[in-house]
Amino acid sequence: MGFAIRCRDLRKTYDGKVEAVRGVSLSIAAGECFGLLGPNGAGKTTTIEILEGLLEPTSGEVEILGHAWSRNSRDLREQIGISLQETRLSEKLSVRETIELFGSFYRQPRPAQDVLEELQLTEKADAWVGKLSGGQKQRLAVATALVGNPKILFLDEPTTGLDPQSRRQLWDIIREFQSRGGTVMLTTHYMDEAEKLCDRLAIVDHGQVIAEGSPAELIAKLGGHHVVEFSASGNSDGSALETWRSLPGVESVRDDAGVISLHVDAPHITIPALLDAVERQHAQILHLTTRQASLEDVFVRLTGRHLRED
Amino acid sequence: MAISEPPVREMQTRQPVSARRNGRWSGYWHLLMARMRELKREPEVVFWVFVFPLLLALGLGIAFRSKPAAAASIAVVNSANGERPVSALLQPSQQGAFHVQVLEREAALNAFRLGKFDLVVESQGDGGYKYFYDPARPESVLARAQVDDALQAGAGRKDAVFTQSAASSEVGSRYIDFLIPGLLGMNLMNSGMWGVGFALVDMRQRKLLKRFVGTPMRRSDFLLAITSSRLVLMIIEVGLLMSFGVLFFHMRVLGSFWAIALLASLGAVAFGGIGLLTASRAQKIESVSGLINMVMMPMWIFSGVFFSYERFPAVAQPFIKLLPLTALNDALRATILEGAPLLSSAQFGRLLILALWGGISFALALKWFRWT
């Protein structure tokens, strides 16, 4: 099985003190969609830019399609497509001119018309880049990455700041690329994006990978596929947490400012027991919900913090 | 826990591609075209690069045009024999050198004080004249001498020596002739520094440079395209300003077209190199704007754009002559106004100064240039 991307023990230290990446090792198979999920400042962008050959790591090794960046970098660049977190393309060029410009750098680019159609930009082909909406600009950024007909697509926060419809459009484009056999590496801080799009994920925090696997595996690893959240009157004493933990089927408990989250296997067993326990304490349930566990829960469980603190 | 095997797929599933393959220069050509399109679509560029120098040349050319000396305005005090000087002054041989008005003494002196007349002439009872003039006003001094000559001649004075005068206000020695090559040099500096320096930092700030180096683009092609776009603009700039000088001010161009084109290209490339060096590290357009102005300011003042740098103290002259804009301006003036051959020793020295500035700047810029 060929690995499209491999890196071992990547480290990046800025100005000798800020450690942005602290020992990241990843192996991404050809044809996979791999995501780096983590909060802002976790080191995702630094990691992906090292993999793209745009940043020199302080230490560690990178292999893209079996080659190191130090050799054949021009040949490697022929085979990858990049969309940076924030590139402001020239506003006074039209969409088609921009795609043709990027295509001109590759030995054998795809025809601009094909890319325009695939990215649903045909109608805007002759509009200036400055006149595009946020979603259209982002699709153009991906178009400039696809015009070289790459084997690997690197996308740094491709949907940040987009409306839901534009996000779904981009997801379709990424899936379409993957379905043709392409490998995708993306960063995101949206757990729904990671869950829906990625075959495998690495959860990154403070420059380190703290968990890796498919979304389902990560959620399973958490123990308990369901989350029961409730708050009750008069349950503020510390011993209460022990009570909840001892309920049948509870894997873990977390107190988030008065709202108790229970990770459970079978809510239909846990919830009746929970209601009984509350009654025995002569307390009252103020609020009760149950939902499927998500990557957000995985992240909270692993770090004690939420992905997006806003 | 077992990690599930990622789906295995074949790698050669790239899109079917048209037979079209890009040639060696495809990237360069597209970069150049993109740059030219951007410039054309930016109204400010069109104004500052093309229209502004023409307006400057027009304004300064009109303000400092060589005009024939204005006729002196003379007031004659009305008196019993007031007609006598007037008729003498209006002799056809004086060729309309004087505007004469007859006024009462009071009114004449008043108007003289206000600057309306250059001279007041009053007949004296003894057949002589009295002049009122202002020694601080050159035109008043001149009028007094001219009127005195005319009156003496009218009264029958014979010249002791026969003299002849030939008028000389030759094309090539006027202010506008001095100015246009200077503006040409300044314009090449301005657009080189801004067109290269500012544009690059802008692209760096927009992360466009980083995006470009993420593709197989050759970095040398990119820099070459930026330089070539400067040369294309240069041809238009120089052509416009020179034709303007020739058509509006009847400037006489002694140097050959090719010599001027070569000088202007060297100037454009040299300042492109300096612009590149200025922009090699800066991350923000604000900081590069300051740097560009700092580099250009001494040359605006010292390099003889609007007035000759001979006015600065002799000690400063060797340093002034080492500035690239001084070398460019001097070389342009020598070629355009005097038709000096490019390989004369003076011209060669200037070309060398320009080439060194450009070459060293380019080399350093490539070493220090920050793409990301």
Side-chain angles (χ1 to χ4, degrees):
Chain A
M1 183 181 67
F3 282 107
I5 305 170
R6 243 152 90 133
C7 65
R8 266 187 300 277
D9 200 28
L10 282 188
R11 287 172 193 277
K12 179 71 183 176
T13 311
Y14 288 106
D15 304 325
K17 37 185 188 283
V18 187
E19 287 188 295
V21 177
R22 304 187 296 167
V24 169
S25 301
L26 299 168
S27 296
I28 295 139
E32 234 185 332
C33 179
F34 191 90
L36 287 178
L37 176 69
N40 289 327
K44 303 189 299 286
T45 295
T46 306
T47 305
I48 199 170
E49 289 192 352
I50 290 173
L51 297 178
E52 289 163 348
L54 291 174
L55 271 181
E56 196 69 32
T58 308
S59 68
E61 284 162 44
V62 178
E63 245 177 43
I64 304 293
L65 300 166
H67 300 279
W69 273 113
S70 50
R71 269 189 257 168
N72 310 321
S73 70
R74 215 179 114 76
D75 282 339
L76 277 185
R77 298 230 169 271
E78 290 277 354
Q79 305 183 61
I80 68 168
I82 287 176
S83 163
L84 298 173
Q85 195 172 119
E86 197 195 348
T87 302
R88 298 211 309 281
L89 296 163
S90 299
E91 304 217 320
K92 298 280 165 81
L93 291 182
S94 75
V95 169
R96 189 194 305 275
E97 286 161 356
T98 304
I99 294 176
E100 282 174 353
L101 172 64
F102 276 88
S104 76
F105 303 143
Y106 295 85
R107 276 189 215 112
Q108 212 163 353
R110 293 172 58 191
Q113 192 57 39
D114 277 15
V115 182
L116 282 167
E117 276 163 24
E118 185 186 335
L119 280 286
Q120 298 161 40
L121 285 166
T122 317
E123 271 176 43
K124 292 280 169 187
D126 297 312
W128 286 4
V129 174
K131 307 273 181 219
L132 298 183
S133 71
Q136 290 163 343
K137 276 190 182 139
Q138 199 54 43
R139 290 211 301 282
L140 176 59
V142 175
T144 63
L146 288 177
V147 70
N149 199 16
K151 289 179 181 163
I152 306 176
L153 188 57
F154 288 95
L155 304 168
D156 195 358
E157 308 232 344
T159 66
T160 298
L162 298 188
D163 58 272
Q165 196 202 339
S166 300
R167 295 181 69 200
R168 270 192 294 275
Q169 257 178 326
L170 260 177
W171 292 350
D172 289 342
I173 291 160
I174 295 167
R175 282 197 198 100
E176 167 68 23
F177 173 77
Q178 201 195 354
S179 74
R180 294 197 306 262
T183 308
V184 183
M185 165 105 194
L186 59 86
T187 71
T188 182
H189 59 244
Y190 295 116
M191 51 167 184
D192 58 335
E193 185 163 287
E195 239 173 297
K196 292 207 174 87
L197 216 48
C198 297
D199 301 315
R200 280 196 312 134
L201 285 172
I203 297 181
V204 186
D205 195 36
H206 298 306
Q208 284 174 314
V209 175
I210 54 176
E212 198 181 330
S214 71
E217 282 164 11
L218 287 169
I219 291 165
K221 219 193 266 185
L222 176 71
H225 291 272
H226 297 267
V227 180
V228 175
E229 280 175 345
F230 71 95
S231 55
S233 63
N235 62 355
S236 52
D237 56 328
S239 66
L241 278 185
E242 287 311 312
T243 318
W244 311 136
R245 191 165 288 131
S246 63
L247 291 175
V250 172
E251 297 282 344
S252 68
V253 180
R254 190 178 140 78
D255 183 350
D256 203 351
V259 180
I260 310 293
S261 310
L262 308 176
H263 290 259
V264 303
D265 276 333
H268 62 277
I269 296 173
T270 308
I271 289 173
L274 167 67
L275 295 176
D276 286 347
V278 170
E279 200 161 321
R280 277 200 302 279
Q281 290 189 348
H282 306 290
Q284 271 185 317
I285 292 275
L286 301 175
H287 149 98
L288 174 76
T289 56
T290 169
R291 59 179 169 80
Q292 296 262 305
S294 70
L295 286 172
E296 176 85 17
D297 299 304
V298 177
F299 187 81
V300 170
R301 174 82 190 279
L302 290 169
T303 66
R305 288 178 290 118
H306 287 275
L307 262 175
R308 301 171 67 204
E309 310 273 41
D310 49 33
Chain B
M1 177 190 343
I3 297 285
S4 68
E5 284 292 296
V8 181
R9 288 196 188 96
E10 278 303 305
M11 291 283 289
Q12 69 264 31
T13 33
R14 299 173 83 180
Q15 285 269 295
V17 190
S18 67
R20 191 171 72 101
R21 288 182 76 96
N22 275 326
R24 163 65 185 88
W25 295 103
S26 158
Y28 163 78
W29 181 247
H30 277 83
L31 282 165
L32 176 62
M33 290 310 292
R35 186 87 196 109
M36 296 312 296
R37 284 193 184 110
E38 272 185 276
L39 290 173
K40 195 181 77 191
R41 291 168 188 175
E42 201 75 67
E44 294 95 324
V45 172
V46 175
F47 176 79
W48 287 109
V49 175
F50 301 129
V51 182
F52 179 71
L54 294 187
L55 289 179
L56 203 59
L58 183 66
L60 291 169
I62 287 173
F64 294 99
R65 73 186 182 279
S66 5
K67 47 194 169 191
S73 301
I74 315 293
V76 175
V77 173
N78 196 6
S79 68
N81 40 13
E83 298 304 315
R84 195 159 46 94
V86 177
S87 60
L89 292 174
L90 291 178
Q91 288 287 317
S93 65
Q94 299 303 329
Q95 293 172 346
F98 307 116
H99 284 303
V100 181
Q101 233 179 314
V102 180
L103 291 169
E104 291 307 318
R105 190 169 198 274
E106 191 97 347
L109 288 175
N110 232 342
F112 170 69
R113 209 175 52 243
L114 293 173
K116 199 174 165 221
F117 296 108
D118 300 324
L119 185 74
V120 179
V121 183
E122 189 181 28
S123 303
Q124 302 291 302
D126 55 6
Y129 302 99
K130 184 176 181 184
Y131 303 125
F132 296 89
Y133 82 111
D134 180 350
R137 279 168 54 197
E139 62 275 21
S140 182
V141 176
L142 182 66
R144 178 178 160 273
Q146 286 176 319
V147 167
D148 192 47
D149 263 0
L151 290 176
Q152 298 288 359
R157 183 181 73 179
K158 292 281 174 258
D159 292 334
V161 182
F162 178 70
T163 57
Q164 252 182 319
S165 325
S168 163
S169 60
E170 239 178 289
V171 171
S173 60
R174 303 163 307 168
Y175 179 63
I176 190 74
D177 299 312
F178 175 86
L179 181 68
I180 291 217
L183 285 181
L184 212 57
M186 185 183 78
N187 207 31
L188 289 172
M189 172 175 80
N190 277 351
S191 39
M193 296 289 289
W194 289 108
V196 174
F198 189 84
L200 283 178
V201 177
D202 182 47
M203 288 189 215
R204 184 182 294 134
Q205 189 176 2
R206 281 157 46 204
K207 302 252 176 86
L208 192 55
L209 286 186
K210 194 181 204 174
R211 180 66 189 85
F212 279 154
V213 295
T215 70
M217 180 193 79
R218 290 180 180 82
R219 297 175 185 201
S220 54
D221 280 5
F222 176 79
L223 295 175
L224 205 61
I226 295 273
T227 312
S228 326
S229 74
R230 275 298 308 135
L231 287 178
V232 175
L233 276 197
M234 180 279 296
I235 292 167
I236 306 174
E237 280 167 46
V238 173
L240 268 180
L241 203 54
M242 293 292 292
S243 345
F244 181 78
V246 170
L247 292 177
F248 267 71
F249 294 107
H250 307 291
M251 195 172 108
R252 201 172 57 201
V253 181
L254 289 177
S256 76
F257 171 81
W258 291 111
I260 297 171
L262 190 105
L263 271 179
S265 315
L266 187 59
V269 172
F271 282 110
I274 298 172
L276 189 68
L277 179 61
T278 314
S280 57
R281 306 292 295 171
Q283 292 279 25
K284 295 221 178 304
I285 50 176
E286 290 84 352
S287 52
V288 82
S289 301
L291 275 177
I292 289 176
N293 280 324
M294 208 172 76
V295 171
M296 295 205 300
M297 181 73 84
M299 291 190 265
W300 279 331
I301 299 172
F302 294 115
S303 289
V305 174
F306 298 102
F307 56 88
S308 168
Y309 57 79
E310 306 284 345
R311 290 170 185 246
F312 292 105
V315 215
Q317 298 292 327
F319 300 102
I320 291 178
K321 285 187 180 164
L322 284 177
L323 292 174
L325 184 57
T326 316
L328 179 61
N329 281 348
D330 283 354
L332 283 170
R333 285 197 179 111
T335 294
I336 294 173
L337 303 179
E338 297 159 28
L342 286 181
L343 290 175
S344 66
S345 63
Q347 283 293 73
F348 187 74
R350 293 164 187 149
L351 297 188
L352 190 67
I353 290 177
L354 269 184
L356 282 177
W357 272 101
I360 294 173
S361 303
F362 253 116
L364 290 178
L366 289 185
K367 195 166 161 227
W368 290 335
F369 198 80
R370 184 190 292 201
W371 288 91
T372 53

